[in-house]
Amino acid sequence: MATKVVSDYGKVLSQVEPGVYGLPESLLPHTRESIRFAILTLLRELGPEHPEVKEGLRQGYVYLAQFVADEDADTVTRGQANFAASSPDPDQASAEPAMRIINRIKLDMERALEEMRDFL
C-alpha cells in the first residue's frame, strides 16, 4: 500500500512546477499524513543498495511541506501576483499574509529535512 500511495504522490509531483510555494492540498491524491507515513515506511524498508530511490523519497518528503490548505494556497497566489504586479511599493495587505505562509512552509521544509537526516 505504501508503494501505491508514494506512486500516486509522485504523479502529482511530476505535474507541478518546481519551486512554487503554497500548492493547494487538494492536489494531493492522499492525505499528507498518509503520504508522510508511506514515505517513512519505504525509507525504513529500503536497503543501502537503493540510494537514488531513497534520495527521491527524502526529497518528496521535504517537498510535501509545499502543500498547504487550499485557502492558504489562494492567499499565497494572490500575494505573489500583487507583489509581482506592483511598483516599488507592493500591496502590503496581500503580500504580508502570503509571506507569513511562505515562511511557515520554509520552516516546515527545514523540519522535514532534519527528520530525513536519519535516512542518509
Side-chain angles (χ1 to χ4, degrees):
M1 186 63 179
T3 304
K4 167 92 170 97
V5 170
V6 170
S7 176
D8 292 347
Y9 174 52
K11 289 174 187 172
V12 170
L13 289 180
S14 72
Q15 297 174 357
V16 297
E17 185 179 330
V20 172
Y21 282 104
L23 296 166
E25 205 170 41
S26 61
L27 292 176
L28 293 174
H30 305 278
T31 66
R32 287 170 52 131
E33 203 51 48
S34 295
I35 295 169
R36 201 174 273 125
F37 180 76
I39 291 172
L40 291 172
T41 299
L42 291 176
L43 282 169
R44 288 183 186 110
E45 297 293 320
L46 284 172
E49 66 276 5
H50 300 286
E52 298 87 12
V53 175
K54 289 178 107 174
E55 179 59 24
L57 290 169
R58 286 191 298 265
Q59 289 177 3
Y61 187 88
V62 172
Y63 200 75
L64 192 55
Q66 292 286 0
F67 292 89
V68 296
D70 289 14
E71 306 82 42
D72 288 347
D74 289 341
T75 299
V76 170
T77 300
R78 281 192 313 275
Q80 288 176 329
N82 286 338
F83 188 79
S86 294
S87 307
D89 185 26
D91 177 14
Q92 293 297 326
S94 62
E96 189 174 325
M99 290 307 296
R100 267 194 243 113
I101 294 167
I102 290 171
N103 286 336
R104 187 183 76 223
I105 290 168
K106 289 179 181 180
L107 182 60
D108 288 347
M109 290 180 80
E110 285 181 37
R111 286 182 188 136
L113 195 56
E114 284 293 320
E115 289 177 47
M116 289 295 99
R117 290 183 195 243
D118 294 339
F119 296 98
L120 290 177

